[in-house]
Amino acid sequence: MVGRGEELTAILSRLRRGVGTVVVGEAGLGKSVLAREVRRQLDAGGLRTQLVLCSRGSDFPLQMVTEAVASGNLELLVVDDAHLLDEDSAELLWQIGRAHV
């Protein structure tokens, strides 16, 4: 993570304290790489995570995410390219976030 050490440390620190994080910025800045590295490090530490990659025309795994959250088998949800979510999926993601505030 060349040049992203400070951001990586800040995000990991917040997440370990239970504080959610949103990474935003222009395309091509390495947000996806940063998110995957955060997830990799948290997985290595034993946190149960799920990565959802969004793209135009793809289905957000609504049922899988809902079941994982309800069962307690999900501690971190990483959604890449969330701006591509359909309205129902965006609503679910918002509800998940609100439930864990």
Side-chain angles (χ1 to χ4, degrees):
M1 293 297 313
V2 177
R4 293 288 188 177
E6 191 173 309
E7 290 98 337
L8 180 62
T9 299
I11 292 168
L12 289 169
S13 174
R14 289 176 56 90
L15 292 173
R16 288 181 177 129
R17 292 189 327 253
V19 178
T21 301
V22 176
V23 178
V24 295
E26 297 294 322
L29 295 178
K31 299 177 304 294
S32 296
V33 172
L34 180 60
R36 283 192 292 271
E37 180 60 18
V38 166
R39 181 177 180 236
R40 187 193 69 73
Q41 289 197 25
L42 292 173
D43 278 344
L47 195 68
R48 296 180 303 268
T49 70
Q50 175 67 44
L51 174 64
V52 176
L53 300 173
C54 302
S55 64
R56 294 199 193 284
S58 67
D59 292 327
F60 187 73
L62 291 171
Q63 184 173 356
M64 181 277 305
V65 170
T66 303
E67 289 172 0
V69 169
S71 69
N73 289 327
L74 182 64
E75 295 174 299
L76 174 69
L77 176 63
V78 178
V79 179
D80 195 8
D81 291 331
H83 64 285
L84 299 176
L85 290 173
D86 62 71
E87 192 171 313
D88 290 337
S89 300
E91 175 69 20
L92 172 67
L93 189 59
W94 181 82
Q95 288 176 8
I96 290 170
R98 294 279 301 160
H100 291 87
V101 172

